[in-house]
Amino acid sequence: MKIDELKQIIKGQVPSPGVFLLWGEEAFLKAHYKKQLVELLSPDMMEELNVSIYNGKDYSIRDVDDAIEGLPVMAEKKLLIFNDSLIFKPDGRTGAKAEYRDYWAKRLQDLPEYVAIIFDETEIDKRSALLKQVDKIGACVEFAYMTEEEMVRWTSRLFGVFEKEISPADARYLNEITAEGMMAVRREAEKLVAYAGERKQITRSDIDTLVMPTVEGKVFDMVAAMLARKPEEALKLLEDLFVLKTEAVQILAAIIYNVDKLLQTKVLVDSRCDKSQIMSKLKISPFQATKFMRDSAKYSIEELRELSRRVAETDGFIKSNSMDNNILISLLVSEFATAKKG
C-alpha cells in the first residue's frame, strides 16, 4: 500500500483494515502516520483497558491471545500495538523465534472484527510469508527515504512553517551534513530557527556555526583523502576529530562504515544497480547514495579491498594491543595515504 492510500484510510475515505504493518528507514514519516493511525483506531472509552502495547520480541503469547479474545470494555474496538516484534524476520537468530511466527501465521487467519493491530517494525524481510499474509488481509506501508529533491523541498517547507526562509542550495547542504532522515533535519532546523531569532533568512553561516556534521560525514572526507593519497589533508581531518575528543574506536567504526559502503557501492554499480536499488540494499539515504556512488567511481575494487584489509588489521591491533589507540589510527591513516597506488 502507498502512503496516499493510507492517508485515505486515516481521513475515513475508505474502510480501515484490521491489521497494519509499518516499516522503513524514514522514521519521522513512520512516526507521523502511526500517531494518526493510533488516534483513528483507539477506542473512545476505557483506553487503559482496550489498548495494549508490546515492545520487543519477547512478549507473552498467552497475554496477547487473552487480549485478542477478550471483548472490548465499554467500546466497540480494541487496539494492539507491537513495536519491533521482529516477526517479519524469518531468521531466528536476528528475528523473532519460530513459535512467535507460527502463532501469528494462525492467529492472523482468525482475528475478531473488534480487534485492530499495528505492527511498527524497524527491520523486516520482504520475503517474509507473514508480510505477504498481512498484505492480503491488511495494509503494509513502507516509509522509504525521499529523493534528494523531495527532501530539499520538504526542508524549505519546514522552515516556512517556522516563518523562516532558506535557499534550495542551503537546504541541500543541511541535508548533506546532517544524519540521514527527516527527524534529524527537523531537530537541526529547530536549533537554527532559535539561533536566527527575528532574522528571517537562514544562511550557510548559520548552518556551519550550529550544525555539527556527523562523525561518519567527517570520516568520509578523511577516507577520501586517504584514497587520494593526500596524507596532510587526511591527517589534518583526523586531528580535527581528536580535538573534538572523538574516541579512536568511534573513528575506526566510522572508517569501517565508510569503506564498507564504498566497496559495496562499487560492486553494486558494477552490477548495474541503480541509485534506488543501492539505497534499498545498503539502507542509506539518497544523499549518502549520491556521495558513495560519486566517490566509489574514483577507485578500483582492489584499492577499496586493500583499504578494507588495512582497516581490519588496525581493528585487530586495537582489540589486542596495549599501544595508544590514537597512535594506531594515525598510523593507519598516514601509512595508507602515503603508500603508492597499486
Side-chain angles (χ1 to χ4, degrees):
M1 175 180 288
K2 295 181 179 179
I3 294 177
D4 285 345
E5 295 174 88
L6 179 61
K7 288 180 182 177
Q8 291 180 319
I9 292 172
I10 291 170
K11 292 176 181 177
Q13 295 172 345
V14 295
S16 173
V19 185
F20 291 85
L21 167 59
L22 314 178
W23 86 93
E25 294 86 3
E26 191 43 84
F28 180 89
L29 272 183
K30 181 156 68 83
H32 173 76
Y33 285 104
K34 178 186 176 182
K35 180 182 178 182
Q36 293 190 37
L37 264 183
V38 170
E39 290 173 356
L40 172 71
L41 300 173
S42 291
D44 295 331
M45 299 181 64
M46 306 296 287
E47 188 172 323
E48 67 276 10
L49 296 177
N50 293 313
V51 177
S52 301
I53 300 174
Y54 304 89
N55 296 312
K57 63 180 183 178
D58 295 322
Y59 51 84
S60 165
I61 290 177
R62 177 175 291 183
D63 287 349
V64 170
D65 220 41
D66 288 345
I68 291 174
E69 291 297 332
L71 292 171
V73 180
M74 299 179 65
E76 294 183 359
K77 291 280 187 179
K78 299 183 77 171
L79 174 62
L80 280 68
I81 301 170
F82 294 84
N83 298 312
D84 285 328
S85 71
L86 297 181
I87 63 168
F88 302 96
K89 289 195 71 179
D91 184 349
R93 293 171 300 172
T94 57
K97 295 177 182 177
E99 63 183 290
Y100 288 85
R101 300 196 304 275
D102 292 343
Y103 166 76
W104 282 109
K106 296 175 183 175
R107 182 75 265 189
L108 289 172
Q109 297 175 18
D110 183 30
L111 281 177
E113 291 186 3
Y114 56 77
V115 170
I117 297 176
I118 298 174
F119 291 103
D120 178 355
E121 303 291 328
T122 303
E123 298 181 73
I124 68 156
D125 184 333
K126 291 185 179 181
R127 299 167 297 180
S128 163
L130 277 176
L131 185 150
K132 295 172 184 174
Q133 191 173 350
V134 170
D135 197 34
K136 286 182 180 179
I137 65 170
C140 296
V141 188
E142 180 179 9
F143 297 90
Y145 285 125
M146 293 184 183
T147 66
E148 290 177 72
E149 290 70 25
E150 288 171 336
M151 278 298 296
V152 169
R153 289 195 295 271
W154 177 82
T155 302
S156 297
R157 290 197 301 271
L158 175 62
F159 280 100
V161 170
F162 294 123
E163 299 183 348
K164 301 292 184 187
E165 295 177 357
I166 187 171
S167 71
D170 288 345
R172 178 176 294 275
Y173 177 64
L174 177 60
N175 275 279
E176 287 173 348
I177 67 170
T178 303
E180 69 274 8
M182 300 165 76
M183 195 90 71
V185 172
R186 183 182 176 87
R187 283 197 300 268
E188 300 299 344
E190 289 171 349
K191 291 194 295 186
L192 287 162
V193 167
Y195 177 76
E198 297 299 318
R199 180 161 45 84
K200 193 172 183 66
Q201 187 72 31
I202 302 296
T203 67
R204 176 74 63 98
S205 177
D206 295 332
I207 297 171
D208 287 336
T209 299
L210 280 192
V211 181
M212 179 69 68
T214 63
V215 172
E216 287 78 14
K218 287 176 173 289
V219 169
F220 178 88
D221 294 335
M222 186 179 74
V223 168
M226 291 166 65
L227 285 162
R229 303 306 196 266
K230 297 178 179 179
E232 291 184 5
E233 181 180 336
L235 288 168
K236 172 63 171 62
L237 290 165
L238 178 61
E239 183 59 30
D240 290 344
L241 289 164
F242 288 155
V243 168
L244 293 170
K245 300 190 183 303
T246 312
E247 295 289 336
V249 289
Q250 187 181 1
I251 296 172
L252 184 62
I255 294 174
I256 291 170
Y257 172 85
N258 279 286
V259 175
D260 179 61
K261 290 293 186 285
L262 280 168
L263 181 55
Q264 290 187 67
T265 301
K266 182 74 173 178
V267 171
L268 290 170
V269 169
D270 287 353
S271 300
R272 300 188 182 281
C273 289
D274 62 21
K275 183 176 176 179
S276 62
Q277 290 172 311
I278 290 170
M279 287 168 55
S280 176
K281 290 177 183 293
L282 301 187
K283 307 295 182 188
I284 56 178
S285 73
F287 294 95
Q288 288 176 305
T290 294
K291 190 168 61 172
F292 287 123
M293 291 175 73
R294 181 193 66 219
D295 272 41
S296 66
K298 300 175 184 177
Y299 314 111
S300 67
I301 286 181
E302 289 71 25
E303 283 180 280
L304 294 171
R305 283 178 176 159
E306 174 60 16
L307 179 52
S308 180
R309 185 186 68 78
R310 296 280 191 92
V311 172
E313 283 181 353
T314 301
D315 186 35
F317 289 148
I318 284 178
K319 290 174 180 175
S320 62
N321 202 300
S322 59
M323 187 182 295
D324 183 272
N325 289 346
N326 284 10
I327 293 175
L328 288 170
I329 295 288
S330 298
L331 286 172
L332 166 68
V333 173
S334 62
E335 288 178 1
F336 192 89
T338 55
K340 291 182 180 180
K341 291 190 178 186

